[in-house]
């Protein structure tokens, strides 16, 4: 299968009549009006070539495709659309072509059958169902004894011992289970054997807005589990009261721990412009000490009116966060809108651009911005267009999959895929879809056994599974 990020096409139109369109017109209508007569209603080709294969005229980049639509190709009989289409609209056409090409290409990948073997480029893989449950499993991680903690979004924390016994932990925080909110990430402290701390993130209802509708925040706490009870809870972070306005969207809520520091993500909460506002928690990755204190070397600690916990900003909705096992770099996956999911290397004080720059467009097919890059804003290391709905991720550190050691595994919700990324010199040199179609993959973690554990859920049935992947010997 070809590498998705380098798919491209050339929009060739035989006639020279173009129609001016509104900047808010949906991309499907823009394509139908300006392109379908030559390239086919489904981009399959007609008088002009197909937009669904890998036979491109230019170098295959987004920039080349944008330039071709804007300026035309005289020797190919394609007129320029720059006078009729805005830069924002041309950008949506690029995203639309990428979407359709990707969907056609990935349709060729077969869905494996659970409890059966399947093949990948570097390993043959066994699947094993670990457990099945009602509800949406949001996160999981292992304790040093090999037992597993996992969260159900509706507000439950569970413990699975190595023999398969499940125990619901009592007295966990009351959560606001609304929209995308609920009980979210769980992470044992790397020094768990010494201190027993477990970190939880969850959505918390904090009041009502002026329209008398419930609002809330992402809350960060830690506690200990003793005799099946959640005890000794400490609140580590709650945003200032004046910023509370989340009505159920983009809570973010992933954790990563590096020595004494706890990193956590907070989505833009459905208020995208707040991602650029240093006075709010929205659209940020934050850094605190594990006990909740704020490090004085945080980049905006001394900036007047800024939230002192902010480590980076311009992040839309990061739902993956992990520390590299050897370099200690912080990596994040971030949901784009319609297109433009991102893998980012997280560095102190950096602006990652949302919503001023994005590789995506609005869900209704209208433009957000023509810009994929602007001065002072960081490009992603890797991006997925169309959006795969990136979720949890993990660097593989086990020994079972010898050819996967150090690779990054990324779950996908919308496309129901598990991606294996090989990173070299902070660049993604390989993006392999190793499985698809079993369900929405929300979290990935390396087990002490060397197996790769994934969570799979189905929204319609409200059912979830944890599945272990092991190497065929």
């Amino acid at each position: 299968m070809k590498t998705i990020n380098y798919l491209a096409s050339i929009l060739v139109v035989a006639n020279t009549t173009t129609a001016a369109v509104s900047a808010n017109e949906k991309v499907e209508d823009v394509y139908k009006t300006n392109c379908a007569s030559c390239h086919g209603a489904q981009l399959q080709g007609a008088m002009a070539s197909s937009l669904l294969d890998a036979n491109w005229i230019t170098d295959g980049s987004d920039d080349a495709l944008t330039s071709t639509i804007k300026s035309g190709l005289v020797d190919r009989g394609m007129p320029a659309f720059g006078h009729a289409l805005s830069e924002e609209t041309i950008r949506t056409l690029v995203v639309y072509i990428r979407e359709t090409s990707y969907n056609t290409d990935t349709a060729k990948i077969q869905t494996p059958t659970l409890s059966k073997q399947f093949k990948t480029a570097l390993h043959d893989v066994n699947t094993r169902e670990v457990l099945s449950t009602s509800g949406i499993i949001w996160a999981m991680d292992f304790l040093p004894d090999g037992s597993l903690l996992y969260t159900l979004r509706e507000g439950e924390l569970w413990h699975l011992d190595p023999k398969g016994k499940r125990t619901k932990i009592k007295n966990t925080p009351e959560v606001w289970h609304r929209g995308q909110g609920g009980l979210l990430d769980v992470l044992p402290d790397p020094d768990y054997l010494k201190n027993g701390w477990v970190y939880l993130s969850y959505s918390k209802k904090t009041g009502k807005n002026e329209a008398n509708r419930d609002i809330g925040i992402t809350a960060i706490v830690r506690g200990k589990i003793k005799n099946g009870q959640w005890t000794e809870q400490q609140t580590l972070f709650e945003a200032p009261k004046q910023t509370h306005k989340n009505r159920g969207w983009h809570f973010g809520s992933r954790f990563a721990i590096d020595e004494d520091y706890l990193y956590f993500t907070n989505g833009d909460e459905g208020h995208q412009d707040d991602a650029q506002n240093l006075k709010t928690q929205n659209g940020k990755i934050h850094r605190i000490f594990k006990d909740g204190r704020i490090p004085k070397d945080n980049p905006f600690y001394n900036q007047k009116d800024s939230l002192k916990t902010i480590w980076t900003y311009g992040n839309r909705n990061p739902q993956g966060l992990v520390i590299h096992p050897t370099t200690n770099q912080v990596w994040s996956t971030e949901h784009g809108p319609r297109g433009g999911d991102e893998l980012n290397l997280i560095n102190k004080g950096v602006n990652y651009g949302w919503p001023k720059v994005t590789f995506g467009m609005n869900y209704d097919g209208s433009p957000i911005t023509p810009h994929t890059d602007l001065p002072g804003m960081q490009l992603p290391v890797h991006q997925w267009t169309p959006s795969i709905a990136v979720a949890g991720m993990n660097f593989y550190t086990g020994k079972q999959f010898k050819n996967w050691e150090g690779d990054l595994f990324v779950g996908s919700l919308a496309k129901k895929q598990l991606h294996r990324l090989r990173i070299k010199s902070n660049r993604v040199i390989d993006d392999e879809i190793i499985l698809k179609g079993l369900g929405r993959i929300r979290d990935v973690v390396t087990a002490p056994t060397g197996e790769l554990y994934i969570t799979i859920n189905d929204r319609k049935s409200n059912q979830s599974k944890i599945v272990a992947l092991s190497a065929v010997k």
Side-chain angles (χ1 to χ4, degrees):
M1 188 183 73
K2 55 185 176 291
T3 302
I4 300 303
N5 271 2
Y6 295 100
L7 287 177
S9 55
I10 297 301
L11 192 64
V12 180
V13 180
N15 63 69
T16 58
T17 302
T18 60
V21 299
S22 165
N24 293 320
E25 187 172 354
K26 295 181 180 180
V27 66
E28 292 86 355
D29 295 332
V30 175
Y31 179 84
K32 181 179 179 181
T33 300
N34 294 276
C35 318
S37 61
C38 289
H39 288 281
Q42 306 301 319
L43 288 75
Q44 77 279 10
M47 291 185 292
S49 60
S50 168
L51 303 176
L52 303 178
D53 56 33
N55 299 317
W56 322 124
I57 297 172
T58 64
D59 64 10
S61 67
D62 276 12
D63 287 346
L65 180 51
T66 299
S67 176
T68 300
I69 298 172
K70 182 177 181 179
S71 303
L73 288 174
V74 176
D75 60 342
R76 296 278 180 158
M78 176 175 170
F81 282 79
H83 67 283
L85 306 179
S86 68
E87 291 185 8
E88 291 92 340
T89 300
I90 290 173
R91 178 62 205 163
T92 64
L93 276 173
V94 174
V95 175
Y96 182 64
I97 294 167
R98 293 282 189 254
E99 281 184 339
T100 312
S101 298
Y102 183 98
N103 293 338
T104 299
D105 200 59
T106 56
K108 303 171 186 176
I109 304 172
Q110 293 189 351
T111 300
T113 303
L114 194 59
S115 301
K116 299 291 185 179
Q117 294 182 8
F118 65 94
K119 293 182 178 294
T120 73
L122 301 177
H123 281 285
D124 290 351
V125 181
N126 287 313
T127 61
R128 174 175 65 88
E129 183 177 311
V130 176
L131 65 85
S132 179
T133 184
S134 60
I136 301 301
I137 297 177
W138 207 92
M140 62 180 171
D141 214 332
F142 284 91
L143 294 170
D145 65 357
S147 61
L148 185 71
L149 293 174
Y150 65 93
T151 61
L152 291 180
R153 192 170 64 185
E154 49 262 50
E156 297 176 2
L157 175 64
W158 286 80
H159 176 265
L160 176 72
D161 74 16
K163 294 183 179 180
K165 179 183 177 181
R166 288 188 243 183
T167 303
K168 179 183 174 181
I169 307 303
K170 298 179 181 178
N171 299 328
T172 51
E174 180 180 354
V175 309
W176 184 39
H177 186 210
R178 176 191 175 94
Q180 298 172 356
L183 184 57
L184 303 171
D185 208 5
V186 58
L187 182 65
D189 195 294
D191 294 324
Y192 179 85
L193 288 176
K194 295 181 180 180
N195 60 38
W197 289 117
V198 175
Y199 299 83
L200 293 177
S201 64
Y202 64 100
S203 54
K204 178 179 180 179
K205 185 168 66 173
T206 60
K208 294 181 181 294
N209 61 16
E210 294 178 354
N212 202 36
R213 296 179 177 179
D214 290 339
I215 55 173
I217 56 168
T218 299
I220 308 297
V221 300
R222 71 177 180 179
K224 297 182 180 182
I225 299 172
K226 296 181 178 180
N227 300 318
Q229 302 271 343
W230 179 255
T231 66
E232 302 181 39
Q233 178 170 301
Q234 298 177 357
T235 298
L236 304 181
F237 176 84
E238 289 188 4
K241 182 68 176 178
Q242 66 270 20
T243 68
H244 295 193
K245 55 184 178 181
N246 194 338
R247 295 205 53 244
W249 300 284
H250 295 184
F251 289 93
S253 296
R254 288 291 180 187
F255 290 132
I257 293 177
D258 181 25
E259 297 182 344
D260 292 332
Y261 301 108
L262 173 68
Y263 296 85
F264 62 92
T265 69
N266 200 119
D268 67 9
E269 302 184 4
H271 300 276
Q272 63 184 38
D273 291 339
D274 281 353
Q276 294 292 320
N277 182 356
L278 295 176
K279 296 179 182 180
T280 77
Q281 73 279 4
N282 306 36
K284 314 295 192 305
I285 294 177
H286 300 261
R287 175 185 181 249
I288 59 177
F289 285 113
K290 293 190 296 182
D291 62 4
R293 292 177 296 120
I294 303 174
K296 292 183 179 180
D297 63 344
N298 276 2
F300 307 105
Y301 187 91
N302 294 312
Q303 185 167 317
K304 185 180 178 180
D305 296 330
S306 295
L307 206 59
K308 297 179 184 298
T309 57
I310 294 172
W311 187 250
T312 69
Y313 64 112
N315 305 103
R316 184 175 182 268
N317 189 26
Q319 287 198 7
L321 197 67
V322 68
I323 305 292
H324 192 282
T326 58
T327 67
N328 290 333
Q329 294 169 317
V330 183
W331 291 81
S332 173
T333 49
E334 178 177 322
H335 285 262
R338 182 173 165 182
D341 285 2
E342 297 181 1
L343 172 68
N344 287 307
L345 179 57
I346 300 303
N347 289 309
K348 178 179 180 178
V350 170
N351 182 355
Y352 289 86
W354 175 255
K356 293 182 178 297
V357 300
T358 178
F359 284 87
M361 59 185 169
N362 286 313
Y363 293 109
D364 65 1
S366 63
I368 296 173
T369 170
H371 303 298
T372 57
D373 189 16
L374 284 173
M377 298 181 182
Q378 181 62 47
L379 285 168
V381 172
H382 191 64
Q383 65 96 8
W384 291 270
T385 297
S387 170
I388 63 172
V390 287
M393 62 178 182
N394 188 250
F395 284 101
Y396 181 72
T397 56
K399 300 300 181 184
Q400 278 206 29
F401 296 101
K402 299 294 185 182
N403 298 323
W404 286 354
E405 288 185 20
D407 286 348
L408 181 64
F409 287 81
V410 176
S412 153
L413 300 174
K415 297 299 183 183
K416 301 179 181 180
Q417 298 167 349
L418 181 64
H419 287 242
R420 179 189 63 83
L421 305 183
R422 179 150 294 174
I423 299 173
K424 184 177 181 180
S425 300
N426 296 334
R427 292 178 57 251
V428 173
I429 61 173
D430 189 20
D431 180 358
E432 179 192 7
I433 301 171
I434 67 169
L435 64 82
K436 76 159 193 175
L438 291 180
R440 293 163 61 84
I441 300 176
R442 191 173 290 278
D443 205 6
V444 188
V445 65
T446 303
T449 60
E451 294 172 298
L452 196 66
Y453 272 44
I454 59 175
T455 62
I456 294 173
N457 63 62
D458 179 75
R459 283 193 301 198
K460 291 182 179 179
S461 65
N462 195 40
Q463 296 290 311
S464 293
K465 297 180 185 296
I466 294 177
V467 174
L469 308 182
S470 59
V472 176
K473 298 180 180 180

mmCIF file of all heavy atoms in Angstrom, residues 427-459:
data_model
loop_
_atom_site.group_PDB
_atom_site.id
_atom_site.type_symbol
_atom_site.label_atom_id
_atom_site.label_comp_id
_atom_site.label_asym_id
_atom_site.label_seq_id
_atom_site.Cartn_x
_atom_site.Cartn_y
_atom_site.Cartn_z
ATOM 1 N N ARG A 427 11.624 12.255 12.561
ATOM 2 C CA ARG A 427 10.808 12.208 11.357
ATOM 3 C C ARG A 427 10.164 10.835 11.240
ATOM 4 O O ARG A 427 10.792 9.819 11.563
ATOM 5 C CB ARG A 427 11.647 12.475 10.091
ATOM 6 C CG ARG A 427 12.186 13.877 9.958
ATOM 7 C CD ARG A 427 13.033 14.023 8.698
ATOM 8 N NE ARG A 427 12.293 13.671 7.495
ATOM 9 C CZ ARG A 427 12.513 12.562 6.763
ATOM 10 N NH1 ARG A 427 13.455 11.712 7.107
ATOM 11 N NH2 ARG A 427 11.804 12.332 5.691
ATOM 12 N N VAL A 428 8.912 10.810 10.790
ATOM 13 C CA VAL A 428 8.234 9.542 10.555
ATOM 14 C C VAL A 428 8.663 9.019 9.190
ATOM 15 O O VAL A 428 8.427 9.656 8.162
ATOM 16 C CB VAL A 428 6.707 9.710 10.612
ATOM 17 C CG1 VAL A 428 6.009 8.413 10.190
ATOM 18 C CG2 VAL A 428 6.274 10.110 12.023
ATOM 19 N N ILE A 429 9.325 7.860 9.196
ATOM 20 C CA ILE A 429 9.802 7.280 7.941
ATOM 21 C C ILE A 429 8.933 6.110 7.485
ATOM 22 O O ILE A 429 9.110 5.600 6.382
ATOM 23 C CB ILE A 429 11.271 6.838 8.059
ATOM 24 C CG1 ILE A 429 11.453 5.772 9.144
ATOM 25 C CG2 ILE A 429 12.166 8.043 8.331
ATOM 26 C CD1 ILE A 429 12.851 5.171 9.186
ATOM 27 N N ASP A 430 7.984 5.682 8.325
ATOM 28 C CA ASP A 430 7.090 4.594 7.939
ATOM 29 C C ASP A 430 5.799 4.721 8.744
ATOM 30 O O ASP A 430 5.842 4.971 9.953
ATOM 31 C CB ASP A 430 7.750 3.238 8.209
ATOM 32 C CG ASP A 430 6.954 2.073 7.626
ATOM 33 O OD1 ASP A 430 6.132 2.315 6.723
ATOM 34 O OD2 ASP A 430 7.162 0.926 8.063
ATOM 35 N N ASP A 431 4.676 4.597 8.078
ATOM 36 C CA ASP A 431 3.360 4.615 8.719
ATOM 37 C C ASP A 431 2.585 3.430 8.167
ATOM 38 O O ASP A 431 2.070 3.462 7.051
ATOM 39 C CB ASP A 431 2.639 5.937 8.424
ATOM 40 C CG ASP A 431 1.249 6.017 9.056
ATOM 41 O OD1 ASP A 431 0.829 5.041 9.690
ATOM 42 O OD2 ASP A 431 0.595 7.065 8.903
ATOM 43 N N GLU A 432 2.527 2.357 8.956
ATOM 44 C CA GLU A 432 1.859 1.125 8.531
ATOM 45 C C GLU A 432 0.573 0.932 9.324
ATOM 46 O O GLU A 432 0.577 0.995 10.552
ATOM 47 C CB GLU A 432 2.763 -0.094 8.754
ATOM 48 C CG GLU A 432 2.102 -1.408 8.354
ATOM 49 C CD GLU A 432 2.855 -2.650 8.824
ATOM 50 O OE1 GLU A 432 3.826 -2.497 9.586
ATOM 51 O OE2 GLU A 432 2.448 -3.758 8.443
ATOM 52 N N ILE A 433 -0.519 0.704 8.623
ATOM 53 C CA ILE A 433 -1.765 0.310 9.279
ATOM 54 C C ILE A 433 -1.694 -1.194 9.499
ATOM 55 O O ILE A 433 -1.771 -1.973 8.544
ATOM 56 C CB ILE A 433 -2.982 0.684 8.429
ATOM 57 C CG1 ILE A 433 -3.017 2.184 8.160
ATOM 58 C CG2 ILE A 433 -4.271 0.237 9.113
ATOM 59 C CD1 ILE A 433 -4.062 2.603 7.151
ATOM 60 N N ILE A 434 -1.515 -1.604 10.749
ATOM 61 C CA ILE A 434 -1.309 -3.041 10.980
ATOM 62 C C ILE A 434 -2.628 -3.793 11.174
ATOM 63 O O ILE A 434 -2.672 -5.004 10.982
ATOM 64 C CB ILE A 434 -0.345 -3.323 12.137
ATOM 65 C CG1 ILE A 434 -0.932 -2.893 13.478
ATOM 66 C CG2 ILE A 434 0.995 -2.663 11.906
ATOM 67 C CD1 ILE A 434 -0.119 -3.411 14.644
ATOM 68 N N LEU A 435 -3.680 -3.093 11.571
ATOM 69 C CA LEU A 435 -4.997 -3.724 11.584
ATOM 70 C C LEU A 435 -6.061 -2.644 11.505
ATOM 71 O O LEU A 435 -5.820 -1.478 11.803
ATOM 72 C CB LEU A 435 -5.207 -4.612 12.808
ATOM 73 C CG LEU A 435 -5.216 -4.017 14.215
ATOM 74 C CD1 LEU A 435 -6.573 -3.421 14.563
ATOM 75 C CD2 LEU A 435 -4.861 -5.075 15.234
ATOM 76 N N LYS A 436 -7.249 -3.044 11.096
ATOM 77 C CA LYS A 436 -8.378 -2.111 11.022
ATOM 78 C C LYS A 436 -9.678 -2.887 11.155
ATOM 79 O O LYS A 436 -9.721 -4.110 10.959
ATOM 80 C CB LYS A 436 -8.372 -1.342 9.700
ATOM 81 C CG LYS A 436 -8.840 -2.158 8.511
ATOM 82 C CD LYS A 436 -9.301 -1.286 7.345
ATOM 83 C CE LYS A 436 -10.061 -2.119 6.321
ATOM 84 N NZ LYS A 436 -10.632 -1.312 5.243
ATOM 85 N N GLY A 437 -10.709 -2.165 11.553
ATOM 86 C CA GLY A 437 -12.058 -2.695 11.465
ATOM 87 C C GLY A 437 -12.583 -3.435 12.673
ATOM 88 O O GLY A 437 -13.766 -3.786 12.710
ATOM 89 N N LEU A 438 -11.742 -3.689 13.685
ATOM 90 C CA LEU A 438 -12.235 -4.417 14.853
ATOM 91 C C LEU A 438 -13.054 -3.520 15.780
ATOM 92 O O LEU A 438 -13.890 -4.002 16.532
ATOM 93 C CB LEU A 438 -11.067 -5.022 15.645
ATOM 94 C CG LEU A 438 -10.301 -6.163 14.970
ATOM 95 C CD1 LEU A 438 -9.175 -6.647 15.871
ATOM 96 C CD2 LEU A 438 -11.237 -7.319 14.637
ATOM 97 N N GLY A 439 -12.803 -2.222 15.731
ATOM 98 C CA GLY A 439 -13.515 -1.276 16.585
ATOM 99 C C GLY A 439 -12.684 -0.029 16.770
ATOM 100 O O GLY A 439 -11.571 0.098 16.245
ATOM 101 N N ARG A 440 -13.234 0.919 17.532
ATOM 102 C CA ARG A 440 -12.562 2.180 17.802
ATOM 103 C C ARG A 440 -11.441 1.934 18.824
ATOM 104 O O ARG A 440 -11.711 1.554 19.962
ATOM 105 C CB ARG A 440 -13.579 3.196 18.340
ATOM 106 C CG ARG A 440 -14.614 3.597 17.320
ATOM 107 C CD ARG A 440 -15.824 4.259 17.966
ATOM 108 N NE ARG A 440 -15.489 5.484 18.674
ATOM 109 C CZ ARG A 440 -15.384 6.680 18.098
ATOM 110 N NH1 ARG A 440 -15.570 6.795 16.780
ATOM 111 N NH2 ARG A 440 -15.104 7.758 18.805
ATOM 112 N N ILE A 441 -10.196 2.171 18.402
ATOM 113 C CA ILE A 441 -9.043 1.890 19.263
ATOM 114 C C ILE A 441 -8.677 3.172 20.004
ATOM 115 O O ILE A 441 -8.157 4.118 19.416
ATOM 116 C CB ILE A 441 -7.863 1.359 18.439
ATOM 117 C CG1 ILE A 441 -8.268 0.061 17.736
ATOM 118 C CG2 ILE A 441 -6.642 1.122 19.341
ATOM 119 C CD1 ILE A 441 -7.203 -0.516 16.813
ATOM 120 N N ARG A 442 -8.936 3.192 21.316
ATOM 121 C CA ARG A 442 -8.768 4.411 22.099
ATOM 122 C C ARG A 442 -7.460 4.438 22.879
ATOM 123 O O ARG A 442 -6.952 5.502 23.225
ATOM 124 C CB ARG A 442 -9.947 4.596 23.054
ATOM 125 C CG ARG A 442 -9.970 5.965 23.700
ATOM 126 C CD ARG A 442 -11.227 6.175 24.510
ATOM 127 N NE ARG A 442 -12.414 6.295 23.692
ATOM 128 C CZ ARG A 442 -12.805 7.421 23.088
ATOM 129 N NH1 ARG A 442 -12.087 8.522 23.203
ATOM 130 N NH2 ARG A 442 -13.910 7.437 22.373
ATOM 131 N N ASP A 443 -6.896 3.278 23.214
ATOM 132 C CA ASP A 443 -5.653 3.285 23.980
ATOM 133 C C ASP A 443 -4.796 2.101 23.578
ATOM 134 O O ASP A 443 -5.298 1.063 23.125
ATOM 135 C CB ASP A 443 -5.932 3.244 25.484
ATOM 136 C CG ASP A 443 -4.806 3.852 26.312
ATOM 137 O OD1 ASP A 443 -3.853 4.405 25.712
ATOM 138 O OD2 ASP A 443 -4.861 3.796 27.552
ATOM 139 N N VAL A 444 -3.482 2.287 23.734
ATOM 140 C CA VAL A 444 -2.474 1.284 23.387
ATOM 141 C C VAL A 444 -1.422 1.289 24.489
ATOM 142 O O VAL A 444 -0.985 2.354 24.930
ATOM 143 C CB VAL A 444 -1.781 1.606 22.045
ATOM 144 C CG1 VAL A 444 -0.884 0.453 21.616
ATOM 145 C CG2 VAL A 444 -2.789 1.938 20.957
ATOM 146 N N VAL A 445 -1.005 0.105 24.932
ATOM 147 C CA VAL A 445 0.020 0.055 25.975
ATOM 148 C C VAL A 445 0.820 -1.242 25.827
ATOM 149 O O VAL A 445 0.287 -2.269 25.395
ATOM 150 C CB VAL A 445 -0.623 0.156 27.379
ATOM 151 C CG1 VAL A 445 -1.498 -1.050 27.679
ATOM 152 C CG2 VAL A 445 0.426 0.342 28.461
ATOM 153 N N THR A 446 2.109 -1.190 26.150
ATOM 154 C CA THR A 446 2.959 -2.371 26.152
ATOM 155 C C THR A 446 2.784 -3.101 27.471
ATOM 156 O O THR A 446 2.947 -2.507 28.546
ATOM 157 C CB THR A 446 4.443 -1.996 25.972
ATOM 158 O OG1 THR A 446 4.602 -1.253 24.763
ATOM 159 C CG2 THR A 446 5.309 -3.244 25.909
ATOM 160 N N ALA A 447 2.458 -4.387 27.401
ATOM 161 C CA ALA A 447 2.268 -5.195 28.604
ATOM 162 C C ALA A 447 3.612 -5.704 29.124
ATOM 163 O O ALA A 447 4.571 -5.840 28.357
ATOM 164 C CB ALA A 447 1.340 -6.368 28.308
ATOM 165 N N PRO A 448 3.698 -6.020 30.415
ATOM 166 C CA PRO A 448 4.932 -6.608 30.952
ATOM 167 C C PRO A 448 5.328 -7.902 30.255
ATOM 168 O O PRO A 448 6.514 -8.259 30.223
ATOM 169 C CB PRO A 448 4.586 -6.852 32.425
ATOM 170 C CG PRO A 448 3.495 -5.886 32.736
ATOM 171 C CD PRO A 448 2.700 -5.762 31.476
ATOM 172 N N THR A 449 4.355 -8.623 29.669
ATOM 173 C CA THR A 449 4.633 -9.863 28.945
ATOM 174 C C THR A 449 5.273 -9.615 27.581
ATOM 175 O O THR A 449 5.690 -10.558 26.917
ATOM 176 C CB THR A 449 3.330 -10.635 28.732
ATOM 177 O OG1 THR A 449 2.425 -9.805 27.971
ATOM 178 C CG2 THR A 449 2.683 -11.018 30.058
ATOM 179 N N GLY A 450 5.301 -8.348 27.135
ATOM 180 C CA GLY A 450 5.761 -8.032 25.792
ATOM 181 C C GLY A 450 4.644 -7.990 24.774
ATOM 182 O O GLY A 450 4.863 -7.623 23.614
ATOM 183 N N GLU A 451 3.412 -8.369 25.197
ATOM 184 C CA GLU A 451 2.263 -8.221 24.311
ATOM 185 C C GLU A 451 1.925 -6.745 24.158
ATOM 186 O O GLU A 451 2.320 -5.901 24.969
ATOM 187 C CB GLU A 451 1.054 -8.974 24.885
ATOM 188 C CG GLU A 451 1.223 -10.482 24.934
ATOM 189 C CD GLU A 451 0.090 -11.149 25.685
ATOM 190 O OE1 GLU A 451 -0.060 -10.866 26.897
ATOM 191 O OE2 GLU A 451 -0.638 -11.953 25.075
ATOM 192 N N LEU A 452 1.193 -6.438 23.098
ATOM 193 C CA LEU A 452 0.685 -5.087 22.883
ATOM 194 C C LEU A 452 -0.807 -5.119 23.171
ATOM 195 O O LEU A 452 -1.552 -5.848 22.514
ATOM 196 C CB LEU A 452 0.961 -4.642 21.449
ATOM 197 C CG LEU A 452 0.839 -3.149 21.145
ATOM 198 C CD1 LEU A 452 1.915 -2.357 21.874
ATOM 199 C CD2 LEU A 452 0.924 -2.893 19.650
ATOM 200 N N TYR A 453 -1.253 -4.358 24.174
ATOM 201 C CA TYR A 453 -2.662 -4.321 24.546
ATOM 202 C C TYR A 453 -3.330 -3.126 23.860
ATOM 203 O O TYR A 453 -2.778 -2.021 23.836
ATOM 204 C CB TYR A 453 -2.816 -4.161 26.057
ATOM 205 C CG TYR A 453 -2.842 -5.454 26.839
ATOM 206 C CD1 TYR A 453 -1.941 -6.477 26.559
ATOM 207 C CD2 TYR A 453 -3.747 -5.648 27.876
ATOM 208 C CE1 TYR A 453 -1.951 -7.658 27.282
ATOM 209 C CE2 TYR A 453 -3.772 -6.825 28.614
ATOM 210 C CZ TYR A 453 -2.876 -7.833 28.320
ATOM 211 O OH TYR A 453 -2.886 -8.994 29.037
ATOM 212 N N ILE A 454 -4.528 -3.358 23.333
ATOM 213 C CA ILE A 454 -5.323 -2.277 22.755
ATOM 214 C C ILE A 454 -6.737 -2.345 23.323
ATOM 215 O O ILE A 454 -7.229 -3.420 23.673
ATOM 216 C CB ILE A 454 -5.377 -2.349 21.214
ATOM 217 C CG1 ILE A 454 -5.987 -3.671 20.737
ATOM 218 C CG2 ILE A 454 -3.984 -2.156 20.616
ATOM 219 C CD1 ILE A 454 -6.183 -3.768 19.233
ATOM 220 N N THR A 455 -7.359 -1.167 23.462
ATOM 221 C CA THR A 455 -8.775 -1.114 23.823
ATOM 222 C C THR A 455 -9.585 -0.920 22.552
ATOM 223 O O THR A 455 -9.218 -0.140 21.676
ATOM 224 C CB THR A 455 -9.070 0.044 24.790
ATOM 225 O OG1 THR A 455 -8.765 1.286 24.155
ATOM 226 C CG2 THR A 455 -8.261 -0.092 26.055
ATOM 227 N N ILE A 456 -10.683 -1.634 22.460
ATOM 228 C CA ILE A 456 -11.581 -1.559 21.307
ATOM 229 C C ILE A 456 -12.983 -1.292 21.821
ATOM 230 O O ILE A 456 -13.446 -1.974 22.741
ATOM 231 C CB ILE A 456 -11.555 -2.872 20.499
ATOM 232 C CG1 ILE A 456 -10.186 -3.088 19.858
ATOM 233 C CG2 ILE A 456 -12.639 -2.885 19.442
ATOM 234 C CD1 ILE A 456 -10.040 -4.435 19.188
ATOM 235 N N ASN A 457 -13.666 -0.291 21.256
ATOM 236 C CA ASN A 457 -15.051 -0.080 21.683
ATOM 237 C C ASN A 457 -15.960 0.171 20.502
ATOM 238 O O ASN A 457 -15.517 0.530 19.416
ATOM 239 C CB ASN A 457 -15.155 1.037 22.728
ATOM 240 C CG ASN A 457 -14.721 2.396 22.202
ATOM 241 O OD1 ASN A 457 -15.321 2.929 21.279
ATOM 242 N ND2 ASN A 457 -13.679 2.959 22.782
ATOM 243 N N ASP A 458 -17.229 -0.063 20.765
ATOM 244 C CA ASP A 458 -18.270 0.146 19.764
ATOM 245 C C ASP A 458 -19.328 1.054 20.388
ATOM 246 O O ASP A 458 -19.975 0.687 21.377
ATOM 247 C CB ASP A 458 -18.899 -1.185 19.350
ATOM 248 C CG ASP A 458 -20.000 -0.998 18.329
ATOM 249 O OD1 ASP A 458 -19.682 -0.738 17.157
ATOM 250 O OD2 ASP A 458 -21.182 -1.100 18.717
ATOM 251 N N ARG A 459 -19.497 2.247 19.809
ATOM 252 C CA ARG A 459 -20.411 3.223 20.393
ATOM 253 C C ARG A 459 -21.866 2.776 20.321
ATOM 254 O O ARG A 459 -22.650 3.024 21.237
ATOM 255 C CB ARG A 459 -20.248 4.578 19.703
ATOM 256 C CG ARG A 459 -19.019 5.329 20.139
ATOM 257 C CD ARG A 459 -19.053 6.761 19.692
ATOM 258 N NE ARG A 459 -19.144 6.926 18.244
ATOM 259 C CZ ARG A 459 -18.854 8.053 17.611
ATOM 260 N NH1 ARG A 459 -18.468 9.115 18.295
ATOM 261 N NH2 ARG A 459 -18.965 8.148 16.305
#
